Amino acid sequence: MDVQGYKWVRWQVWLCRLGAILSLGLLLLVFHWRPRLAVLARCRSCPLALADILILRDRFGQWHVVEVLTTEVEESSLELLGQLDDVEWRDTIRLYRDEKMLMRYYLYEGLRYVWLDRKGAFCRVSVLSEDWTCSDLYGFQKGLSPLEQSLRRNVYGDNIIDVPVKSYMKLLFEEVLNPFYVFQLFSIILWMCDEYYFYALCIFVISIISISFSLYETHKQSVTLCNMARLVNDVTVRRSSGEEERVSSVDLVPGDCLIIPQEGLLLPCDAALLAGECLVNESMLTGESVPALKTPLPPGDRKYSSDSQRRHTLFCGTQLIQAKGGGSGDSGAVAVVTSTGFFTAKGNLVSSILYPQPINFRFYQDAFKFLLVLGFIALLGTIYSFVILWQSKVTWVQLVIRSLDIVTIAVPPALPAAITTGTIYAQNRLKRSSVFCISPPCINVCGKVSLFCFDKTGTLTEEGLDVWGVIEGGPAGFSELVPEPRLLPPGPLLSGLAGCHTVTLLRGQPLGDPLELRMVESTGWALQEPEGHGNILDAQFGGHKVLAVMRPPPQGNFTSEAVAIVQRFPFSSALQRMSVVTVAQGGQSALAFMKGSPEMVASLCRAETVPAQFCHRLHDFSSEGLRVLAFAYKPVNVNSDLKAIERGEVEKDMHFLGLLMMKNLVKPESPKVINTLRVAHIRSVMVTGDNLLTAVNVAKSCGMVGSDEKVIFVTATPHTAQSVATLRFSLEDGATAQSSIEVITQGLYQGGFGYHLAVSGKSFAALCDHFPEYLPKVLMRATIFARMVPDQKTQLVKELQKLNYRVGMCGDGANDCGALRAADVGVSLSEAEASVASPFTSKTENISCVPLLIREGRCSLVTSFSLFRYMALYSLIQFCSVLILYTVRTSIADLQFLYCDLFLVTLLAILMGRGVPSEKLHPCRPPASLLALPVLCSLLIHICMIVLGQLAALLIATSENWYIPLNSTVFGTANLPNVENTCVFGMSGFQYIIMAVVVTKSYPHKKPLYHNMLFLCLLVVQFGMMTWFVLKPGSFIIRAFQLFDVTDMNFKMLLVSLAALNFMICFVVEMLIDMGMLNCVQLLRGKRPSKKQYKRLNALLSDSASWPPLNQTLSPTHTTIDSYS
């Protein structure tokens, strides 16, 4: 973030105040819209250390102005903060007096930034605790003194996620100063000066109603978000004296020792768990409905990170269901506060809602540019009207008012609001389909998605797993397959299956990961947890602190002994394994068990214990689509401190035990959805943490890989001291070089659909680090990414976005949070009504929501396009009418303006957005550029037809023998009623209705017009009324609308026919443009390469007969085709 410092200059401040008075407040309004300009006008640049005001430029290029604040800190107390030395703590403040010191800081998006003299910059206050190690955290277990706590609170601030809820008066002030309403107010004042009282009053009332609704909704949303974010409760902390004290959560600071009760609590901060275990519901943050078991943080000197230590971190806003094993008495668990306020995980998510990153979407960018074009047209119209009015010798007041009036016509104030109508309707339809959206602008982005990534387990496949079988393995090889683990003889493998898990009991019911629940159930063993102090169970197992006991079933031919779990190292996606330490009854022996991905477990086992057929059997099982887990064990010294044993010590030199196979069925909806996306030319990519071969099998089962398509494995190895980095492509069936040549000769994988690349997490990392020149080519053809850790999923999404893909991501919200938030469209499958893990949350736990979301996105985008074009054409129709009538020394009547703006245009715009999406996804995506050739040509032709239509009506009327010329001595409404006004009003009224039909698109992204019955009925009613106004208006309508009573029915029928001809021409032109009439222009200028990188790269790879280079070992400097840049 770029930061610039400024200091107030007194004479510049007074000069600006004088300018504000002389400009009647206009200068203050400009400063309100452009705060950076206000700082530059009132201040001078200075070093950051002396700054009163800061200008920040964020990573999106947007500017922000913040004020530097100060707070008094006791110098004598600084040393008590602990982890940082006295010198560095002195760096956080600036000395002004001998005993009092002022700490300088500023607040930005809820985060506190403090001044560090040594670094010469403002840094996040979290930097003071970011270097804490696990050992440091254990040092805080003794608690902070009240003095230490007070000092830390001065530095870190209150522990509260404070969402500002502005008063209605402040909201009203900010809303009224919005450029849209300032322009609206300017227009109303202008109309009042021009004596358009009735029209101005109606617009004023509509604006008041609009502002009221806006204020109510804004305030309501702020209150809702504030209630969701604000979390204040009483918690128990341990002081340095050893006493436990009940305090408000607002007073918590990093370093506080938190005592968690057995019944749990709603956690008000981020904390590292040091003692005991906690069962946590994290669905509010991740969307994952299955509670997670958190275990104590392993001690050591490594740096603590909440991301890498997620299994040992309790996050703010999550519900701790129960805590146990934290010590004597009734204390459930012990944790140390690591982050507070907006620095917590919940604070980060609330901040992302309060301050969302700007959506980089071409439609919104082009909309702003188009407004500038309309502004330029308004300028030309103003100049033209000024000349006409000058020649008409009107008064100076009329000259100014009428000239400025053109601006309010050419630039419709309601344009920004109108284009959101389609999005609002789409959001409501999605909500009825149990898809919830917290970022409505993302709906339009859904319409341009070109690639969708899917997690596997729980997303493409069922969450639950069925045990398929277990097979023991050792130095002698593998034994026979046993279909049920309960049939295994007593031994380490059976004990490992029963005890290596994080399943816990909640009110007597087992709770945990579905895979582990099914695994434990298949053994027949029963879970028992300590009650009360747990001393009885501890005594039964040699005095060790017992977390849980697994007891074998009483019946059976074999008898097994119960085992007690005394230490758990929970599963980590990054490590791909978990482990436990168990003690036998009586405490005579201890065993460590590990389970995880077969490749990872085998790599941590002693080589002589892994069967020689390991790779072959794993290949066979994975190829059948089975979920394979490997088990290992080793004896542990029972006399050592098992609670303090480190994970690295446990998970090495293990003895291989065997493999557990589980069947993960593909959800019935998955193949249908994948096929729908494939037909719509939307790429589907699987991103999973599971085995590569299992992922390939699932990809084939759900249709990502066709039955006639090949899978090519990408194997990349990193650079080591013994070898260079290598890259190799090989067919899945281990084909020989000769058969690979045959594949290429037959052309089975040319054109992008004959083959798919499969990449593992390790290979993906090596590609990113050592083969960046090959990475785009691999991403273009890769469909399966396996053994991917959460960070790699996020990185994959970002790499695909670099190729100009609009990337969607669908996952269960647990390990996919980063990828869901990084994607252009993130969909979390969750039972929660709205998860902040992603913009979209679907309560339907299958991927059928994905085509629905894309269809709604396309419908919304097409509707927004239609509404934008309609509002632009509406302003241009009125613009032309006014200029034509000005030219002949008359104008539009007040009630005519009101009728066109409110009854015709406003109602049409509101109901136009009700169009519903098509049932099928079409292969082509809707356009997103308002400045594309078809759009601009269409608008230009329609404008020409509008002008010609109005001029033709005027010329025909003036050529009639009953035509009465205008009074040339007066101007404007004083000339009403007259033939010119009546003809132009009648023709323009038809044109408003005509353009609503012409620009309303349906096929292929929306259902036909007749499905929007309200809109269709309104069109019929409005067309009937305009026909009535033209053919037989009646005396009341003639007087009210100040129309000329034309008695010639032939002329009136000719006017209606002229409107019909205008409609036919515009409709046919629009249809021809939609059918590709302008393709001939593109042929003349020649085919240009696509602006999208993935399309250019796809064309390059499709023309290459040597990609991918099968069965060749490539080095980072070796290339087989020209590198793509």
Side-chain angles (χ1 to χ4, degrees), residues 300-314:
D301 292 330
R302 62 185 174 281
K303 184 178 173 181
Y304 169 78
S305 167
S306 60
D307 291 330
S308 59
Q309 307 281 358
R310 286 188 66 87
R311 283 292 189 170
H312 314 295
T313 302
L314 307 174

Side-chain angles (χ1 to χ4, degrees), residues 131-136 297-305 308-309 312 569 646-648:
D131 290 328
W132 283 352
T133 64
C134 298
S135 297
D136 293 332
L297 180 73
D301 292 330
R302 62 185 174 281
K303 184 178 173 181
Y304 169 78
S305 167
S308 59
Q309 307 281 358
H312 314 295
F569 300 103
E646 293 190 4
R647 184 168 193 161

Side-chain angles (χ1 to χ4, degrees), residues 526-595:
L527 174 63
Q528 179 188 358
E529 291 188 340
E531 297 179 0
H533 299 309
N535 296 334
I536 298 174
L537 280 180
D538 293 352
Q540 291 178 10
F541 291 90
H544 295 280
K545 184 63 179 176
V546 173
L547 300 176
V549 175
M550 296 303 301
R551 298 192 182 276
Q555 68 273 17
N557 299 326
F558 307 106
T559 56
S560 298
E561 288 189 357
V563 295
I565 303 171
V566 296
Q567 178 65 286
R568 284 191 180 109
F569 300 103
F571 177 78
S572 164
S573 298
L575 299 177
Q576 299 178 355
R577 62 183 183 273
M578 73 152 295
S579 57
V580 297
V581 178
T582 65
V583 175
Q585 198 144 5
Q588 300 300 316
S589 62
L591 292 177
F593 293 97
M594 177 172 64
K595 84 166 187 291

Side-chain angles (χ1 to χ4, degrees), residues 989-1010:
F990 278 119
Q991 287 174 336
Y992 293 128
I993 304 170
I994 289 167
M995 288 303 133
V997 177
V998 169
V999 302
T1000 300
K1001 304 289 185 181
S1002 55
Y1003 180 83
H1005 305 300
K1006 293 175 66 177
K1007 287 184 178 179
L1009 184 63
Y1010 56 80

Side-chain angles (χ1 to χ4, degrees), residues 1032-1106:
K1032 195 116 177 128
S1035 58
F1036 173 76
I1037 296 296
I1038 288 174
R1039 286 196 306 273
F1041 283 81
Q1042 295 179 269
L1043 299 175
F1044 185 85
D1045 188 8
V1046 179
T1047 57
D1048 186 352
M1049 183 58 69
N1050 290 331
F1051 168 76
K1052 291 191 281 189
M1053 290 297 296
L1054 182 61
L1055 195 62
V1056 174
S1057 301
L1058 188 62
L1061 179 63
N1062 193 337
F1063 169 71
M1064 289 301 298
I1065 293 173
C1066 289
F1067 186 81
V1068 170
V1069 167
E1070 189 72 19
M1071 189 171 62
L1072 290 173
I1073 290 175
D1074 287 343
M1075 293 172 63
M1077 180 183 71
L1078 297 177
N1079 288 345
C1080 57
V1081 178
Q1082 295 176 343
L1083 290 174
L1084 289 174
R1085 73 180 185 184
K1087 188 176 180 180
R1088 295 182 179 179
S1090 173
K1091 293 181 179 178
K1092 296 190 180 298
Q1093 192 172 344
Y1094 75 86
K1095 289 185 177 180
R1096 301 199 304 272
L1097 184 52
N1098 183 58
L1100 177 68
L1101 295 181
S1102 298
D1103 293 338
S1104 172
S1106 58

Side-chain angles (χ1 to χ4, degrees), residues 687-707:
V687 190
T688 177
D690 208 343
N691 179 275
L692 186 59
L693 293 173
T694 304
V696 169
N697 183 276
V698 172
K700 291 180 177 179
S701 300
C702 67
M704 282 188 182
V705 177
S707 57

Side-chain angles (χ1 to χ4, degrees), residues 725 727 763-779 799 802-803 1093 1097 1115-1117 1119 1123-1125:
L727 175 63
S763 294
F764 178 72
L767 272 168
C768 294
D769 294 339
H770 303 287
F771 298 91
E773 71 274 19
Y774 287 107
L775 182 61
K777 304 168 194 173
V778 171
L779 293 179
E799 292 294 340
K802 289 178 183 177
L803 297 178
Q1093 192 172 344
L1097 184 52
S1115 64
T1117 56
T1119 55
S1123 280
Y1124 180 79
S1125 58

